[in-house]
Each structure stands twice: as structure tokens, then as C-alpha cells.
Short mmCIF file of all heavy atoms in Angstrom, two decimals:
data_model
loop_
_atom_site.label_atom_id
_atom_site.label_comp_id
_atom_site.label_asym_id
_atom_site.label_seq_id
_atom_site.Cartn_x
_atom_site.Cartn_y
_atom_site.Cartn_z
N MET A 1 14.70 -14.14 10.30
CA MET A 1 13.56 -13.64 9.49
C MET A 1 13.99 -12.38 8.78
O MET A 1 14.57 -11.47 9.40
CB MET A 1 12.37 -13.42 10.43
CG MET A 1 11.19 -12.83 9.71
SD MET A 1 9.75 -12.75 10.74
CE MET A 1 8.90 -14.18 10.12
N ASN A 2 13.65 -12.26 7.52
CA ASN A 2 13.95 -11.08 6.72
C ASN A 2 12.86 -10.05 6.91
O ASN A 2 11.69 -10.39 7.15
CB ASN A 2 14.07 -11.43 5.27
CG ASN A 2 15.24 -12.32 4.97
OD1 ASN A 2 16.21 -12.27 5.66
ND2 ASN A 2 15.12 -13.12 3.92
N THR A 3 13.24 -8.80 6.86
CA THR A 3 12.27 -7.69 6.89
C THR A 3 12.44 -6.83 5.67
O THR A 3 13.51 -6.81 5.05
CB THR A 3 12.43 -6.84 8.14
OG1 THR A 3 13.71 -6.26 8.15
CG2 THR A 3 12.19 -7.63 9.44
N ILE A 4 11.37 -6.19 5.29
CA ILE A 4 11.41 -5.28 4.14
C ILE A 4 10.59 -4.04 4.55
O ILE A 4 9.54 -4.16 5.19
CB ILE A 4 10.84 -5.95 2.87
CG1 ILE A 4 10.93 -5.01 1.67
CG2 ILE A 4 9.44 -6.44 3.08
CD1 ILE A 4 10.60 -5.69 0.37
N ASP A 5 11.09 -2.88 4.23
CA ASP A 5 10.37 -1.63 4.51
C ASP A 5 9.66 -1.20 3.25
O ASP A 5 10.28 -1.09 2.18
CB ASP A 5 11.34 -0.52 4.96
CG ASP A 5 11.94 -0.85 6.31
OD1 ASP A 5 11.22 -1.30 7.19
OD2 ASP A 5 13.17 -0.61 6.46
N LEU A 6 8.34 -0.98 3.35
CA LEU A 6 7.57 -0.57 2.18
C LEU A 6 6.87 0.75 2.48
O LEU A 6 6.53 1.05 3.64
CB LEU A 6 6.52 -1.64 1.92
CG LEU A 6 7.06 -3.04 1.58
CD1 LEU A 6 5.97 -4.06 1.61
CD2 LEU A 6 7.76 -3.00 0.26
N THR A 7 6.64 1.54 1.44
CA THR A 7 5.93 2.83 1.59
C THR A 7 4.49 2.67 1.28
O THR A 7 4.14 1.97 0.30
CB THR A 7 6.56 3.85 0.65
OG1 THR A 7 7.95 3.98 0.94
CG2 THR A 7 5.90 5.22 0.81
N SER A 8 3.62 3.22 2.09
CA SER A 8 2.18 3.14 1.83
C SER A 8 1.52 4.48 1.98
O SER A 8 2.09 5.40 2.58
CB SER A 8 1.51 2.12 2.74
OG SER A 8 1.65 2.48 4.08
N VAL A 9 0.32 4.58 1.50
CA VAL A 9 -0.47 5.80 1.62
C VAL A 9 -1.84 5.41 2.12
O VAL A 9 -2.37 4.33 1.81
CB VAL A 9 -0.52 6.55 0.24
CG1 VAL A 9 -1.19 5.75 -0.83
CG2 VAL A 9 -1.19 7.90 0.38
N VAL A 10 -2.44 6.29 2.94
CA VAL A 10 -3.76 6.05 3.50
C VAL A 10 -4.62 7.27 3.24
O VAL A 10 -4.15 8.40 3.46
CB VAL A 10 -3.69 5.76 5.00
CG1 VAL A 10 -5.08 5.50 5.60
CG2 VAL A 10 -2.77 4.57 5.30
N TRP A 11 -5.85 7.08 2.80
CA TRP A 11 -6.75 8.20 2.61
C TRP A 11 -8.19 7.76 2.99
O TRP A 11 -8.47 6.56 2.96
CB TRP A 11 -6.67 8.76 1.20
CG TRP A 11 -7.22 7.88 0.15
CD1 TRP A 11 -8.51 7.88 -0.36
CD2 TRP A 11 -6.50 6.82 -0.55
NE1 TRP A 11 -8.62 6.91 -1.34
CE2 TRP A 11 -7.41 6.27 -1.48
CE3 TRP A 11 -5.21 6.37 -0.51
CZ2 TRP A 11 -7.05 5.23 -2.34
CZ3 TRP A 11 -4.89 5.32 -1.35
CH2 TRP A 11 -5.78 4.78 -2.24
N LYS A 12 -9.07 8.72 3.26
CA LYS A 12 -10.45 8.43 3.60
C LYS A 12 -11.31 8.50 2.32
O LYS A 12 -11.21 9.42 1.54
CB LYS A 12 -10.98 9.36 4.64
CG LYS A 12 -12.33 8.98 5.13
CD LYS A 12 -12.65 9.51 6.49
CE LYS A 12 -13.96 8.87 6.95
NZ LYS A 12 -14.35 9.21 8.27
N GLU A 13 -12.14 7.49 2.16
CA GLU A 13 -13.04 7.39 1.05
C GLU A 13 -14.40 6.97 1.58
O GLU A 13 -14.55 5.79 1.93
CB GLU A 13 -12.50 6.42 -0.01
CG GLU A 13 -13.13 6.51 -1.35
CD GLU A 13 -12.40 5.71 -2.39
OE1 GLU A 13 -11.27 6.08 -2.74
OE2 GLU A 13 -12.97 4.71 -2.86
N GLY A 14 -15.33 7.87 1.71
CA GLY A 14 -16.62 7.54 2.29
C GLY A 14 -16.45 7.25 3.76
O GLY A 14 -15.88 8.02 4.53
N ASP A 15 -16.95 6.07 4.20
CA ASP A 15 -16.88 5.70 5.61
C ASP A 15 -15.60 4.92 5.94
O ASP A 15 -15.41 4.52 7.11
CB ASP A 15 -18.08 4.82 5.97
CG ASP A 15 -19.40 5.58 5.95
OD1 ASP A 15 -19.35 6.81 6.10
OD2 ASP A 15 -20.45 4.93 5.77
N TYR A 16 -14.74 4.63 4.98
CA TYR A 16 -13.57 3.82 5.17
C TYR A 16 -12.26 4.53 4.83
O TYR A 16 -12.26 5.47 4.04
CB TYR A 16 -13.67 2.54 4.31
CG TYR A 16 -14.80 1.65 4.75
CD1 TYR A 16 -16.03 1.71 4.16
CD2 TYR A 16 -14.60 0.73 5.76
CE1 TYR A 16 -17.08 0.91 4.58
CE2 TYR A 16 -15.63 -0.12 6.17
CZ TYR A 16 -16.84 0.00 5.57
OH TYR A 16 -17.87 -0.84 5.99
N TYR A 17 -11.20 4.03 5.43
CA TYR A 17 -9.84 4.46 5.09
C TYR A 17 -9.24 3.44 4.15
O TYR A 17 -9.37 2.21 4.42
CB TYR A 17 -8.97 4.60 6.33
CG TYR A 17 -9.31 5.83 7.15
CD1 TYR A 17 -10.25 5.76 8.17
CD2 TYR A 17 -8.71 7.03 6.90
CE1 TYR A 17 -10.60 6.86 8.92
CE2 TYR A 17 -9.03 8.17 7.65
CZ TYR A 17 -9.98 8.09 8.66
OH TYR A 17 -10.30 9.18 9.37
N ILE A 18 -8.72 3.86 3.07
CA ILE A 18 -8.06 2.98 2.09
C ILE A 18 -6.56 3.04 2.34
O ILE A 18 -5.99 4.14 2.49
CB ILE A 18 -8.37 3.45 0.61
CG1 ILE A 18 -9.86 3.67 0.43
CG2 ILE A 18 -7.79 2.47 -0.36
CD1 ILE A 18 -10.74 2.48 0.71
N SER A 19 -5.91 1.89 2.31
CA SER A 19 -4.46 1.87 2.46
C SER A 19 -3.88 1.13 1.23
O SER A 19 -4.41 0.12 0.83
CB SER A 19 -4.04 1.10 3.75
OG SER A 19 -4.67 -0.16 3.79
N ARG A 20 -2.84 1.72 0.67
CA ARG A 20 -2.25 1.17 -0.53
C ARG A 20 -0.72 1.20 -0.44
O ARG A 20 -0.15 2.25 -0.09
CB ARG A 20 -2.67 1.97 -1.75
CG ARG A 20 -2.14 1.43 -3.03
CD ARG A 20 -2.67 2.12 -4.22
NE ARG A 20 -2.06 1.57 -5.42
CZ ARG A 20 -2.25 2.04 -6.59
NH1 ARG A 20 -3.03 3.09 -6.79
NH2 ARG A 20 -1.64 1.47 -7.62
N CYS A 21 -0.10 0.11 -0.78
CA CYS A 21 1.34 0.07 -0.82
C CYS A 21 1.82 0.69 -2.11
O CYS A 21 1.27 0.38 -3.16
CB CYS A 21 1.79 -1.36 -0.71
SG CYS A 21 3.58 -1.52 -0.73
N LEU A 22 2.80 1.54 -2.05
CA LEU A 22 3.30 2.20 -3.27
C LEU A 22 4.40 1.38 -3.95
O LEU A 22 4.76 1.66 -5.08
CB LEU A 22 3.81 3.58 -2.92
CG LEU A 22 2.77 4.59 -2.39
CD1 LEU A 22 3.45 5.89 -2.03
CD2 LEU A 22 1.63 4.79 -3.37
N ASP A 23 4.92 0.40 -3.24
CA ASP A 23 6.06 -0.40 -3.79
C ASP A 23 5.58 -1.66 -4.51
O ASP A 23 6.30 -2.12 -5.40
CB ASP A 23 7.03 -0.77 -2.68
CG ASP A 23 7.57 0.50 -1.99
OD1 ASP A 23 8.23 1.26 -2.69
OD2 ASP A 23 7.39 0.67 -0.80
N VAL A 24 4.44 -2.18 -4.15
CA VAL A 24 3.83 -3.36 -4.85
C VAL A 24 2.34 -3.06 -4.94
O VAL A 24 1.79 -2.29 -4.21
CB VAL A 24 4.08 -4.71 -4.14
CG1 VAL A 24 5.55 -5.05 -4.16
CG2 VAL A 24 3.55 -4.72 -2.72
N GLU A 25 1.66 -3.66 -5.88
CA GLU A 25 0.25 -3.42 -6.10
C GLU A 25 -0.64 -4.20 -5.11
O GLU A 25 -1.26 -5.18 -5.49
CB GLU A 25 -0.12 -3.77 -7.53
CG GLU A 25 0.49 -2.86 -8.58
CD GLU A 25 -0.01 -1.43 -8.45
OE1 GLU A 25 -1.21 -1.18 -8.18
OE2 GLU A 25 0.81 -0.52 -8.64
N VAL A 26 -0.66 -3.72 -3.86
CA VAL A 26 -1.48 -4.34 -2.82
C VAL A 26 -2.18 -3.20 -2.07
O VAL A 26 -1.56 -2.18 -1.79
CB VAL A 26 -0.61 -5.16 -1.84
CG1 VAL A 26 -1.46 -5.72 -0.72
CG2 VAL A 26 0.10 -6.29 -2.58
N SER A 27 -3.46 -3.40 -1.80
CA SER A 27 -4.23 -2.37 -1.02
C SER A 27 -5.20 -3.07 -0.12
O SER A 27 -5.48 -4.25 -0.31
CB SER A 27 -4.90 -1.40 -1.99
OG SER A 27 -5.85 -2.07 -2.79
N SER A 28 -5.78 -2.33 0.81
CA SER A 28 -6.78 -2.82 1.73
C SER A 28 -7.56 -1.63 2.30
O SER A 28 -7.40 -0.52 1.80
CB SER A 28 -6.14 -3.65 2.85
OG SER A 28 -7.13 -4.40 3.52
N PHE A 29 -8.39 -1.89 3.29
CA PHE A 29 -9.21 -0.79 3.86
C PHE A 29 -9.59 -1.13 5.29
O PHE A 29 -9.47 -2.29 5.75
CB PHE A 29 -10.43 -0.55 3.01
CG PHE A 29 -11.44 -1.65 3.03
CD1 PHE A 29 -12.51 -1.60 3.90
CD2 PHE A 29 -11.29 -2.74 2.21
CE1 PHE A 29 -13.46 -2.65 3.91
CE2 PHE A 29 -12.19 -3.79 2.23
CZ PHE A 29 -13.31 -3.74 3.09
N GLY A 30 -10.11 -0.14 6.00
CA GLY A 30 -10.60 -0.35 7.38
C GLY A 30 -11.41 0.85 7.81
O GLY A 30 -11.42 1.87 7.14
N LYS A 31 -12.08 0.71 8.92
CA LYS A 31 -12.91 1.82 9.45
C LYS A 31 -12.09 2.93 10.12
O LYS A 31 -12.54 4.04 10.25
CB LYS A 31 -13.96 1.27 10.42
CG LYS A 31 -15.03 0.47 9.75
CD LYS A 31 -16.21 0.28 10.68
CE LYS A 31 -17.29 -0.44 9.92
NZ LYS A 31 -18.44 0.37 9.70
N THR A 32 -10.83 2.62 10.45
CA THR A 32 -9.92 3.61 11.01
C THR A 32 -8.61 3.52 10.25
O THR A 32 -8.34 2.53 9.54
CB THR A 32 -9.62 3.36 12.52
OG1 THR A 32 -8.94 2.10 12.64
CG2 THR A 32 -10.94 3.35 13.30
N LYS A 33 -7.77 4.57 10.40
CA LYS A 33 -6.42 4.52 9.76
C LYS A 33 -5.62 3.31 10.31
O LYS A 33 -5.01 2.60 9.50
CB LYS A 33 -5.64 5.80 10.05
CG LYS A 33 -6.16 6.99 9.34
CD LYS A 33 -5.35 8.25 9.73
CE LYS A 33 -6.01 9.50 9.34
NZ LYS A 33 -5.28 10.71 9.76
N LYS A 34 -5.69 3.10 11.62
CA LYS A 34 -4.95 2.03 12.25
C LYS A 34 -5.41 0.67 11.69
O LYS A 34 -4.59 -0.20 11.34
CB LYS A 34 -5.11 2.09 13.76
CG LYS A 34 -4.30 1.10 14.51
CD LYS A 34 -4.44 1.31 16.01
CE LYS A 34 -3.59 0.29 16.77
NZ LYS A 34 -3.64 0.52 18.22
N GLU A 35 -6.70 0.49 11.58
CA GLU A 35 -7.24 -0.74 11.03
C GLU A 35 -6.84 -0.93 9.55
O GLU A 35 -6.51 -2.02 9.11
CB GLU A 35 -8.76 -0.82 11.19
CG GLU A 35 -9.36 -2.11 10.69
CD GLU A 35 -10.87 -2.16 10.82
OE1 GLU A 35 -11.50 -1.12 11.11
OE2 GLU A 35 -11.43 -3.24 10.62
N ALA A 36 -6.91 0.12 8.77
CA ALA A 36 -6.55 0.07 7.36
C ALA A 36 -5.08 -0.32 7.20
O ALA A 36 -4.75 -1.17 6.36
CB ALA A 36 -6.80 1.41 6.67
N ILE A 37 -4.19 0.21 8.03
CA ILE A 37 -2.76 -0.17 7.96
C ILE A 37 -2.59 -1.61 8.40
O ILE A 37 -1.81 -2.39 7.81
CB ILE A 37 -1.93 0.79 8.78
CG1 ILE A 37 -1.95 2.17 8.10
CG2 ILE A 37 -0.48 0.30 8.90
CD1 ILE A 37 -1.38 3.31 8.91
N ALA A 38 -3.30 -2.05 9.45
CA ALA A 38 -3.20 -3.42 9.90
C ALA A 38 -3.70 -4.39 8.81
O ALA A 38 -3.04 -5.44 8.57
CB ALA A 38 -4.00 -3.64 11.20
N MET A 39 -4.77 -4.03 8.16
CA MET A 39 -5.29 -4.89 7.09
C MET A 39 -4.35 -4.94 5.89
O MET A 39 -4.19 -5.96 5.27
CB MET A 39 -6.68 -4.40 6.66
CG MET A 39 -7.72 -4.51 7.74
SD MET A 39 -8.03 -6.15 8.32
CE MET A 39 -8.96 -6.79 6.95
N LEU A 40 -3.69 -3.81 5.64
CA LEU A 40 -2.71 -3.78 4.54
C LEU A 40 -1.50 -4.65 4.91
O LEU A 40 -1.00 -5.40 4.06
CB LEU A 40 -2.22 -2.33 4.29
CG LEU A 40 -1.15 -2.17 3.20
CD1 LEU A 40 -1.65 -2.66 1.85
CD2 LEU A 40 -0.66 -0.73 3.13
N THR A 41 -1.11 -4.60 6.15
CA THR A 41 0.03 -5.45 6.59
C THR A 41 -0.33 -6.91 6.39
O THR A 41 0.49 -7.70 5.86
CB THR A 41 0.35 -5.19 8.07
OG1 THR A 41 0.75 -3.78 8.21
CG2 THR A 41 1.48 -6.05 8.56
N ASP A 42 -1.56 -7.31 6.76
CA ASP A 42 -1.99 -8.70 6.56
C ASP A 42 -1.99 -9.08 5.08
O ASP A 42 -1.55 -10.14 4.67
CB ASP A 42 -3.41 -8.90 7.12
CG ASP A 42 -3.46 -8.88 8.64
OD1 ASP A 42 -2.37 -8.98 9.26
OD2 ASP A 42 -4.55 -8.77 9.18
N ALA A 43 -2.49 -8.12 4.24
CA ALA A 43 -2.56 -8.40 2.79
C ALA A 43 -1.13 -8.53 2.21
O ALA A 43 -0.89 -9.36 1.34
CB ALA A 43 -3.33 -7.26 2.12
N LEU A 44 -0.22 -7.70 2.70
CA LEU A 44 1.16 -7.78 2.22
C LEU A 44 1.81 -9.11 2.62
O LEU A 44 2.56 -9.70 1.86
CB LEU A 44 1.98 -6.58 2.71
CG LEU A 44 1.66 -5.27 1.98
CD1 LEU A 44 2.21 -4.08 2.78
CD2 LEU A 44 2.16 -5.28 0.53
N GLU A 45 1.54 -9.55 3.87
CA GLU A 45 2.08 -10.83 4.29
C GLU A 45 1.59 -11.94 3.41
O GLU A 45 2.34 -12.82 3.02
CB GLU A 45 1.73 -11.06 5.77
CG GLU A 45 2.52 -10.18 6.70
CD GLU A 45 2.05 -10.25 8.14
OE1 GLU A 45 0.99 -10.84 8.45
OE2 GLU A 45 2.78 -9.69 9.02
N LEU A 46 0.30 -11.93 3.07
CA LEU A 46 -0.27 -12.93 2.18
C LEU A 46 0.35 -12.82 0.77
O LEU A 46 0.65 -13.85 0.14
CB LEU A 46 -1.79 -12.79 2.07
CG LEU A 46 -2.54 -13.20 3.36
CD1 LEU A 46 -3.99 -12.80 3.24
CD2 LEU A 46 -2.41 -14.70 3.64
N TYR A 47 0.54 -11.63 0.31
CA TYR A 47 1.14 -11.39 -1.02
C TYR A 47 2.53 -12.02 -1.09
O TYR A 47 2.90 -12.71 -2.03
CB TYR A 47 1.20 -9.90 -1.33
CG TYR A 47 1.93 -9.54 -2.56
CD1 TYR A 47 1.27 -9.58 -3.81
CD2 TYR A 47 3.26 -9.12 -2.55
CE1 TYR A 47 1.93 -9.24 -4.98
CE2 TYR A 47 3.94 -8.79 -3.70
CZ TYR A 47 3.28 -8.83 -4.93
OH TYR A 47 3.95 -8.52 -6.09
N PHE A 48 3.32 -11.78 -0.04
CA PHE A 48 4.71 -12.23 -0.06
C PHE A 48 4.86 -13.70 0.28
O PHE A 48 5.92 -14.29 0.23
CB PHE A 48 5.59 -11.36 0.84
CG PHE A 48 5.93 -10.04 0.17
CD1 PHE A 48 5.48 -8.84 0.69
CD2 PHE A 48 6.71 -10.01 -0.99
CE1 PHE A 48 5.77 -7.65 0.09
CE2 PHE A 48 7.01 -8.80 -1.61
CZ PHE A 48 6.55 -7.61 -1.09
N GLU A 49 3.73 -14.41 0.67
CA GLU A 49 3.76 -15.85 0.80
C GLU A 49 3.98 -16.50 -0.53
O GLU A 49 4.64 -17.52 -0.64
CB GLU A 49 2.46 -16.39 1.44
CG GLU A 49 2.40 -16.23 2.90
CD GLU A 49 1.09 -16.82 3.47
OE1 GLU A 49 0.27 -17.39 2.71
OE2 GLU A 49 0.91 -16.70 4.70
N ASP A 50 3.39 -15.88 -1.61
CA ASP A 50 3.49 -16.42 -2.94
C ASP A 50 4.62 -15.79 -3.79
O ASP A 50 4.99 -16.30 -4.81
CB ASP A 50 2.17 -16.27 -3.71
CG ASP A 50 1.07 -17.11 -3.06
OD1 ASP A 50 1.38 -18.13 -2.48
OD2 ASP A 50 -0.13 -16.68 -3.16
N GLU A 51 5.08 -14.63 -3.33
CA GLU A 51 6.16 -13.92 -4.06
C GLU A 51 7.37 -13.90 -3.19
O GLU A 51 7.28 -13.62 -1.98
CB GLU A 51 5.70 -12.49 -4.36
CG GLU A 51 4.57 -12.37 -5.32
CD GLU A 51 4.97 -12.67 -6.74
OE1 GLU A 51 6.11 -12.39 -7.14
OE2 GLU A 51 4.14 -13.24 -7.45
N PRO A 52 8.54 -14.12 -3.74
CA PRO A 52 9.74 -13.98 -2.93
C PRO A 52 9.99 -12.54 -2.56
O PRO A 52 9.65 -11.64 -3.31
CB PRO A 52 10.85 -14.49 -3.84
CG PRO A 52 10.33 -14.34 -5.23
CD PRO A 52 8.83 -14.48 -5.11
N LEU A 53 10.54 -12.37 -1.37
CA LEU A 53 10.94 -10.99 -0.96
C LEU A 53 12.00 -10.50 -1.94
O LEU A 53 12.99 -11.23 -2.19
CB LEU A 53 11.49 -11.00 0.45
CG LEU A 53 10.48 -11.07 1.57
CD1 LEU A 53 11.21 -11.14 2.93
CD2 LEU A 53 9.55 -9.88 1.57
N PRO A 54 11.81 -9.33 -2.48
CA PRO A 54 12.83 -8.81 -3.40
C PRO A 54 14.13 -8.53 -2.67
O PRO A 54 14.15 -8.10 -1.52
CB PRO A 54 12.22 -7.51 -3.92
CG PRO A 54 11.14 -7.15 -2.98
CD PRO A 54 10.71 -8.41 -2.29
N GLN A 55 15.23 -8.84 -3.31
CA GLN A 55 16.57 -8.58 -2.72
C GLN A 55 16.78 -7.07 -2.65
O GLN A 55 17.36 -6.59 -1.70
CB GLN A 55 17.66 -9.24 -3.57
CG GLN A 55 17.52 -10.74 -3.59
CD GLN A 55 17.61 -11.33 -2.23
OE1 GLN A 55 18.41 -10.95 -1.41
NE2 GLN A 55 16.78 -12.30 -1.96
N LYS A 56 16.29 -6.36 -3.64
CA LYS A 56 16.43 -4.93 -3.64
C LYS A 56 15.11 -4.34 -4.18
O LYS A 56 14.66 -4.78 -5.24
CB LYS A 56 17.61 -4.49 -4.56
CG LYS A 56 17.84 -2.98 -4.58
CD LYS A 56 19.04 -2.66 -5.44
CE LYS A 56 19.18 -1.14 -5.47
NZ LYS A 56 20.17 -0.71 -6.41
N THR A 57 14.52 -3.43 -3.45
CA THR A 57 13.26 -2.86 -3.93
C THR A 57 13.52 -1.49 -4.57
O THR A 57 14.44 -0.78 -4.18
CB THR A 57 12.26 -2.67 -2.80
OG1 THR A 57 12.86 -1.84 -1.77
CG2 THR A 57 11.87 -4.00 -2.16
N GLU A 58 12.72 -1.18 -5.54
CA GLU A 58 12.75 0.14 -6.16
C GLU A 58 11.79 0.97 -5.28
O GLU A 58 10.58 0.98 -5.54
CB GLU A 58 12.29 0.05 -7.61
CG GLU A 58 13.09 -0.90 -8.44
CD GLU A 58 13.80 -0.14 -9.55
OE1 GLU A 58 13.53 1.07 -9.73
OE2 GLU A 58 14.63 -0.78 -10.21
N ARG A 59 12.31 1.58 -4.30
CA ARG A 59 11.49 2.34 -3.35
C ARG A 59 10.97 3.63 -3.93
O ARG A 59 11.66 4.29 -4.66
CB ARG A 59 12.29 2.60 -2.06
CG ARG A 59 12.62 1.31 -1.36
CD ARG A 59 13.00 1.46 0.08
NE ARG A 59 12.40 2.54 0.77
CZ ARG A 59 11.28 2.44 1.53
NH1 ARG A 59 10.64 1.35 1.61
NH2 ARG A 59 10.82 3.51 2.16
N VAL A 60 9.77 3.96 -3.53
CA VAL A 60 9.19 5.26 -3.86
C VAL A 60 9.72 6.22 -2.80
O VAL A 60 9.44 6.08 -1.64
CB VAL A 60 7.64 5.20 -3.79
CG1 VAL A 60 7.08 6.59 -4.04
CG2 VAL A 60 7.11 4.18 -4.80
N LYS A 61 10.55 7.17 -3.24
CA LYS A 61 11.14 8.11 -2.31
C LYS A 61 10.48 9.46 -2.43
O LYS A 61 10.28 9.97 -3.51
CB LYS A 61 12.66 8.22 -2.57
CG LYS A 61 13.39 6.94 -2.34
CD LYS A 61 14.84 7.06 -2.68
CE LYS A 61 15.51 5.73 -2.50
NZ LYS A 61 16.81 5.66 -3.07
N ASN A 62 10.14 10.05 -1.30
CA ASN A 62 9.52 11.35 -1.21
C ASN A 62 8.36 11.50 -2.20
O ASN A 62 8.36 12.38 -3.05
CB ASN A 62 10.57 12.45 -1.51
CG ASN A 62 11.73 12.38 -0.56
OD1 ASN A 62 11.51 12.14 0.63
ND2 ASN A 62 12.93 12.53 -1.02
N PRO A 63 7.34 10.65 -2.09
CA PRO A 63 6.21 10.77 -2.99
C PRO A 63 5.44 12.07 -2.76
O PRO A 63 5.43 12.63 -1.66
CB PRO A 63 5.32 9.58 -2.59
CG PRO A 63 5.67 9.30 -1.21
CD PRO A 63 7.12 9.64 -1.06
N ILE A 64 4.90 12.59 -3.82
CA ILE A 64 4.04 13.79 -3.71
C ILE A 64 2.67 13.44 -4.30
O ILE A 64 2.55 12.48 -5.07
CB ILE A 64 4.65 14.99 -4.49
CG1 ILE A 64 4.81 14.67 -5.99
CG2 ILE A 64 5.96 15.43 -3.90
CD1 ILE A 64 5.11 15.86 -6.84
N ILE A 65 1.70 14.21 -3.92
CA ILE A 65 0.39 14.00 -4.47
C ILE A 65 0.20 15.01 -5.58
O ILE A 65 0.44 16.20 -5.40
CB ILE A 65 -0.71 14.22 -3.41
CG1 ILE A 65 -0.56 13.15 -2.33
CG2 ILE A 65 -2.07 14.19 -4.01
CD1 ILE A 65 -1.49 13.34 -1.14
N ALA A 66 -0.15 14.51 -6.76
CA ALA A 66 -0.26 15.35 -7.96
C ALA A 66 -1.56 15.03 -8.67
O ALA A 66 -1.97 13.87 -8.73
CB ALA A 66 0.91 15.15 -8.87
N SER A 67 -2.22 16.05 -9.19
CA SER A 67 -3.41 15.85 -9.99
C SER A 67 -3.03 15.74 -11.45
O SER A 67 -2.15 16.48 -11.92
CB SER A 67 -4.40 16.99 -9.80
OG SER A 67 -4.82 17.05 -8.44
N VAL A 68 -3.73 14.89 -12.16
CA VAL A 68 -3.51 14.76 -13.59
C VAL A 68 -4.89 14.91 -14.27
O VAL A 68 -5.85 14.30 -13.84
CB VAL A 68 -2.90 13.37 -13.94
CG1 VAL A 68 -2.79 13.19 -15.41
CG2 VAL A 68 -1.60 13.16 -13.22
N SER A 69 -4.99 15.70 -15.30
CA SER A 69 -6.19 15.91 -16.04
C SER A 69 -6.09 15.25 -17.43
O SER A 69 -5.05 15.43 -18.10
CB SER A 69 -6.51 17.39 -16.24
OG SER A 69 -6.67 18.00 -14.98
N LEU A 70 -7.08 14.50 -17.80
CA LEU A 70 -7.14 13.86 -19.08
C LEU A 70 -8.34 14.35 -19.85
O LEU A 70 -9.41 14.53 -19.28
CB LEU A 70 -7.21 12.34 -18.94
CG LEU A 70 -6.12 11.63 -18.24
CD1 LEU A 70 -6.43 10.17 -18.06
CD2 LEU A 70 -4.80 11.80 -19.02
N SER A 71 -8.19 14.54 -21.13
CA SER A 71 -9.29 14.85 -22.02
C SER A 71 -9.58 13.64 -22.88
O SER A 71 -8.65 12.98 -23.38
CB SER A 71 -8.98 16.02 -22.93
OG SER A 71 -8.71 17.19 -22.16
N HIS A 72 -10.84 13.32 -23.03
CA HIS A 72 -11.14 12.14 -23.84
C HIS A 72 -12.48 12.41 -24.57
O HIS A 72 -13.26 13.28 -24.16
CB HIS A 72 -11.24 10.87 -23.00
CG HIS A 72 -12.25 10.91 -21.92
ND1 HIS A 72 -13.58 10.58 -22.12
CD2 HIS A 72 -12.17 11.25 -20.62
CE1 HIS A 72 -14.25 10.71 -20.99
NE2 HIS A 72 -13.41 11.14 -20.08
N ALA A 73 -12.67 11.67 -25.61
CA ALA A 73 -13.88 11.88 -26.41
C ALA A 73 -15.04 11.10 -25.82
O ALA A 73 -14.93 10.14 -25.14
CB ALA A 73 -13.64 11.40 -27.83
#
């Protein structure tokens, strides 16, 4: 069985924790951090059922949190 290491981020939004993979566009949520990560793992497993595991991933290394301000009309 092949394994792949992916980077994810978890944050609290209201009553739930949101979990998002930074390497592919997959996210999930749960009432606890642990549940949010478990749900993300399930979502990623489902995602990769239809997508082949990449031979080489473009990993997000040392991500930082940055604010961006936009002006619009």
C-alpha cells in the first residue's frame, strides 16, 4: 500500500473546527480538532479513490498565516 504525507490546517469557526488540506483542495469539519482531522482523512481517502496518488507532490513547506487586504468598488 502506498502512503502520501499531506499538510493540513485546522481552525475554529463558530462551534466547529474546520480542517483543510493545503496540498489538494479538500476540506472537512468536526466538533473537535481530532474529529475534524479524522473527517478530513476520510474525505481525502474518498478523493484519492477517483484521483491517482501523485508520484511527486508539490508540498507546502513551512506555511505561514498572512492577511491580505483587497479594495474593491
Side-chain angles (χ1 to χ4, degrees):
M1 177 173 258
N2 294 332
T3 60
I4 183 171
D5 293 319
L6 301 168
T7 303
S8 62
V9 62
V10 179
W11 69 93
K12 188 157 187 175
E13 195 169 293
D15 293 335
Y16 293 94
Y17 286 90
I18 310 301
S19 53
R20 181 174 178 187
C21 180
L22 298 177
D23 300 300
V24 295
E25 292 295 322
V26 176
S27 61
S28 194
F29 68 97
K31 289 195 176 247
T32 65
K33 289 179 195 177
K34 186 176 181 177
E35 182 181 11
I37 292 169
M39 297 298 286
L40 178 62
T41 300
D42 289 346
L44 286 164
E45 287 172 350
L46 290 171
Y47 174 83
F48 284 114
E49 280 183 2
D50 295 332
E51 294 287 326
L53 283 176
Q55 297 301 318
K56 183 178 178 187
T57 59
E58 302 244 352
R59 295 199 30 94
V60 176
K61 296 178 183 167
N62 302 320
I64 60 168
I65 296 175
S67 297
V68 177
S69 297
L70 298 175
S71 298
H72 59 87

